[in-house]
Amino acid sequence: MSEQDIFIRQEDFDRLEQAIQDYQEGRIDHNSLVAERLMLGTYGQWQEGLCMVRSKLPGGRVRPRQLLGYAEGLENITCLENVHITTRQDIQYNNVPLEETPALLRLLAKHGITSREACGNTVRNVSGCPMAGFCPREHVDVMPHIDATARYLIRNPLTQSLPRKFKISYSGCEADCAQGAIQDLGIVATRKEGREGFKLLAGGGLGPHARQAVVLEEFIEEEALLPAIEAVLALHDKYSDRARRSRSRIKFLVERFGVDEFVRKFREEYARTSAAFDNARAPRGEWRQAREDALVCGHGAPRQVMPQHQPGLYAVPIDVPGGDLTAQQLRGLCALLEREGHSELRATQDQNFIVFNVPEAGIEPLADGLKELGLGLPRAGTNVVACPGTRTCQLGITSSRTVAKMLDGGSHDLTIRVNGCQNTCAHSEIADIGFFGKGKRHFGKLIPSYAIRLGGSGLAGGAFGFPGPDIPAARVPMAVKRIQEAFEEGRAEDESFFSWSRRQGAGYFEELLADLTQVREFELSMLQRDHGESAVFRVQSSGVGECAGAHTDPLDKLLLDIAYERNLRDAFAAKSKYKDAAESLANVFALAGQALLIAAGAEDTTPDESELAQALAEALPDDNEVAEGFAGLYEQFADWRTGLDELVYPGLVEKADAWLKSARLLCRTLQARRKEQERKKSAQEVA
Ligand code: HEM
Ligand code: SF4
């Protein structure tokens, strides 16, 4: 299957269009619509009828010509102003009217841009070192691994309805510029005793239960990568709590099992996924001699022109103010890059771009061209990133983007990350100075405020920031200025903010900012409005959002499980592992039986294997072809179960698959009947 086929399929857009129409005409409920659109990277905003549409760029890679596609999107859809680069190296639109989302997705698809599985409970964009393929420090260019991972997992039945989202990053060396510490799975290229491979980190994440990833494996071989990733996903699928989605990430599994047991379970799962894995699919990179003395590019993106490992060529970061680009800027940037002969462009985790293979003489013309577009090379002080906050996010409490525009990281280019709520989508825990929004009462009045985190770093050897005091939103610019000045005065030569802030400790900052935290009654009127707002502050967050994804019908989940187990069965058989294939086939039967029993509304949906045929016969009195078909098939299977070989297997599987097809059809028919009954019932209740 070509890459295009996997990432982009027209039928996706037809389905979304149909779902929107069905929803508007009352044939499906809101949850079913949400499930369809999240799968295609489309979130609801708090503004009724408007959506955020996120395109997915593995490793942040975007071709200059594709910028024209993004521009066309802005020009063709009603009232859009700009696109936005995200902290996972994606590019997204805001304020897209729901009815126009299929048109936008079709338009992007024409330019080879996908949004498939950019949101919802799936594997999110695989992010990576911004310098992958060009960094002098790297052991290997991880781009082929990123691409292979994205291709392996997209539309994979295992990843279509995970308990929650799943984030993966790749770094080319131990410095870990892609910040594996905050990912569900961080993958870091390394060498051990002369062998080439990867270190695996797992269970990192930000937000209210921020946790740094732990080491899952110190070293795995290159060809073990994809089955290892699959094994972690299988753990997530099997053990994460589907009922409590807010506690359904890998970090909670690490917490629940403890590191040792988590690792043991991973290895158990890996034994199965690796046994089925076709090694021909393993990505193989070109390993090089890493230059440990070369510059580390830093938190998710370099802030200065960097020499590449290709002699005489440079990587040039492009500062994109606020991460936003208009159609005119997109077109201008494409023209500039083409004029200068550059084809390698990437979105970076600090909401900027980076362009590669620029010869020394080409840096100045590039910088001049960027300036004309309102872009430029990064200037010290502008390392400020904000999440959408109340501008568009359903969970936003404060106006993070507006205050971020007023902040400056000073001559030492401090990393400042501003978030509209405690979910910290813009990474406050790994910033020099991080903020997240909250409402705080003073004299009975709610004041828009920010909690502070200080001295964080997501790089190897880093740590999450420690808490500082809460500050009213109006005083955030003052707080930043004061911290910055104190740093400039107090730092030892060449000392980083990370080291200086930790040397000072939390008490120092409490004192430094003490007057900014105190609110006197007469100041209330000045502090009660958030930046850019004329109305008095109140928390408008719905508190729910769509980040936990849509509810999945258990029957749909079972059908996905069957598809995944069938894939395993075929993979085992392809490697002549008939004993494993037989176990997978038994699992397929059990899952299909369960699906049929659920669809038929049976009370006991998980009978013992030996009683399944009888249970189906009782539950499906009107559809006895399927029940009888199963009984006959299972009898044959039981006879051959331990003696399957290449002679018997194909015939048995052919019959099994024919039966599965009719079982699936029956499930869908019964499911549709049930949904129709439910719809009629709720319509009657409303009437
Ligand atoms: C409980 C709910 C949510 C949690 C825990 C959450 C968490 C996160 C985290 C940790 C990130 C940054 C990490 C990364 O991308 O690797 C992120 C990114 C992002 N999230 Fe959320 N999120 C939630 C809900 C939402 C919602 C409802 C929206 C708004 C529609 C949203 C919008 C974004 C955006 C736009 C980014 C990329 C940030 C940027 O670069 O602009 N998130 N989210
Ligand atoms: S941090 Fe909060 S306000 Fe900001 S995008 Fe994430 S969920 Fe929304």
Side-chain angles (χ1 to χ4, degrees), residues 43-46 52 54 84-90 92 94 124 127 164-165 167 182-183 205-208 246 249 322 349 351 385-389 392-396 401 421-427 543-548:
Y43 260 118
Q45 295 180 191
W46 65 261
M52 181 207 85
R54 182 179 289 161
H84 178 67
I85 304 173
T86 79
T87 50
R88 275 205 89 70
Q89 301 174 280
D90 287 321
Q92 66 190 34
N94 274 109
R124 300 298 182 81
S127 61
R164 270 297 295 280
K165 58 188 163 188
K167 295 178 178 175
I182 63 167
Q183 314 286 334
L206 302 178
S246 63
R249 297 288 296 274
Q349 288 187 27
Q351 301 177 338
V385 169
C387 79
T392 51
C393 177
Q394 287 173 336
L395 300 178
R401 280 177 61 97
C421 82
Q422 59 170 359
N423 288 318
T424 64
C425 295
H427 305 176
V544 281
E546 291 179 356
C547 64

Side-chain angles (χ1 to χ4, degrees), residues 148-471:
T149 305
R151 202 168 315 123
Y152 189 66
L153 298 178
I154 204 154
R155 296 182 202 272
N156 186 321
L158 177 63
T159 64
Q160 301 307 287
S161 181
L162 289 168
R164 270 297 295 280
K165 58 188 163 188
F166 190 90
K167 295 178 178 175
I168 303 176
S169 75
Y170 272 95
S171 284
C173 83
E174 294 81 354
D176 197 5
C177 294
Q179 309 184 108
I182 63 167
Q183 314 286 334
D184 292 291
L185 182 59
I187 301 170
V188 181
T190 187
R191 279 189 163 89
K192 191 181 172 195
E193 292 156 10
R195 287 181 302 147
E196 293 149 351
F198 294 87
K199 178 175 177 174
L200 300 183
L201 306 169
L206 302 178
H209 305 279
R211 199 178 201 290
Q212 265 180 273
V214 296
V215 177
L216 179 59
E217 290 290 359
E218 282 291 351
F219 185 84
I220 62 163
E221 305 281 348
E222 193 172 22
E223 67 180 27
L225 251 185
L226 295 183
I229 295 170
E230 189 176 346
V232 182
L233 280 160
L235 283 182
H236 186 33
D237 188 54
K238 207 183 256 184
Y239 296 110
S240 284
D241 191 342
R242 283 177 187 267
R244 287 193 305 162
R245 305 257 180 173
S246 63
R247 298 188 68 77
S248 183
R249 297 288 296 274
I250 295 296
K251 60 185 172 185
F252 295 108
L253 286 188
V254 174
E255 226 166 78
R256 188 168 117 206
F257 295 133
V259 179
D260 292 348
E261 177 60 11
F262 181 78
V263 172
R264 197 193 63 72
K265 282 193 154 55
F266 160 74
R267 289 182 181 161
E268 200 175 273
E269 215 58 57
Y270 174 73
R272 190 159 191 250
T273 54
S274 59
F277 184 68
D278 172 8
N279 281 350
R281 295 193 70 179
R284 289 174 213 280
E286 277 181 37
W287 292 74
R288 333 179 20 258
Q289 200 47 53
R291 277 203 28 219
E292 282 172 28
D293 59 334
L295 271 180
V296 172
C297 81
H299 298 96
R303 296 284 300 163
Q304 63 197 69
V305 172
M306 302 277 288
Q308 296 179 189
H309 72 69
Q310 294 85 352
L313 295 178
Y314 293 84
V316 179
I318 300 176
D319 183 49
V320 179
D324 294 339
L325 290 141
T326 61
Q328 206 183 355
Q329 284 175 315
L330 289 161
R331 289 191 181 282
L333 185 56
C334 173
L336 173 65
L337 295 174
E338 290 196 335
R339 188 191 77 199
E340 296 293 316
H342 302 312
S343 55
E344 279 287 346
L345 181 71
R346 275 181 211 162
T348 53
Q349 288 187 27
D350 61 352
Q351 301 177 338
N352 288 322
F353 277 135
I354 185 165
V355 58
F356 298 97
N357 296 332
V358 184
E360 195 167 354
I363 298 174
E364 209 177 298
L366 180 63
D368 290 345
L370 290 171
K371 211 164 162 197
E372 281 171 29
L373 296 169
L375 306 170
L377 305 194
R379 183 179 55 74
T382 58
N383 198 348
V384 181
V385 169
C387 79
T390 45
R391 168 94 51 101
T392 51
C393 177
Q394 287 173 336
L395 300 178
I397 293 176
T398 52
S399 174
S400 41
R401 280 177 61 97
T402 318
V403 72
K405 287 195 179 130
M406 304 162 75
L407 307 180
D408 190 306
S411 58
H412 295 290
D413 203 30
L414 301 183
T415 53
I416 300 178
R417 302 292 182 256
V418 192
N419 299 272
C421 82
Q422 59 170 359
N423 288 318
T424 64
C425 295
H427 305 176
S428 44
E429 295 88 340
I430 52 169
D432 288 327
I433 312 177
F435 295 97
F436 66 83
K438 61 202 282 190
K440 197 161 177 173
R441 281 199 187 277
H442 295 268
F443 301 99
K445 305 280 185 222
L446 208 53
I447 303 289
S449 305
Y450 282 90
I452 305 188
R453 293 289 178 268
L454 293 150
S457 164
L459 297 176
F464 285 177
F466 56 87
D470 292 350
I471 303 269

Side-chain angles (χ1 to χ4, degrees), residues 531-548:
H531 294 277
E533 300 291 336
S534 51
V536 164
F537 175 74
R538 64 192 174 93
V539 175
Q540 285 179 322
S541 159
S542 64
V544 281
E546 291 179 356
C547 64

Side-chain angles (χ1 to χ4, degrees), residues 87-109:
T87 50
R88 275 205 89 70
Q89 301 174 280
D90 287 321
I91 295 183
Q92 66 190 34
Y93 292 82
N94 274 109
N95 303 329
V96 182
L98 175 66
E99 310 79 64
E100 296 188 58
T101 51
L104 176 60
L105 297 177
R106 283 199 177 97
L107 189 154
L108 293 176

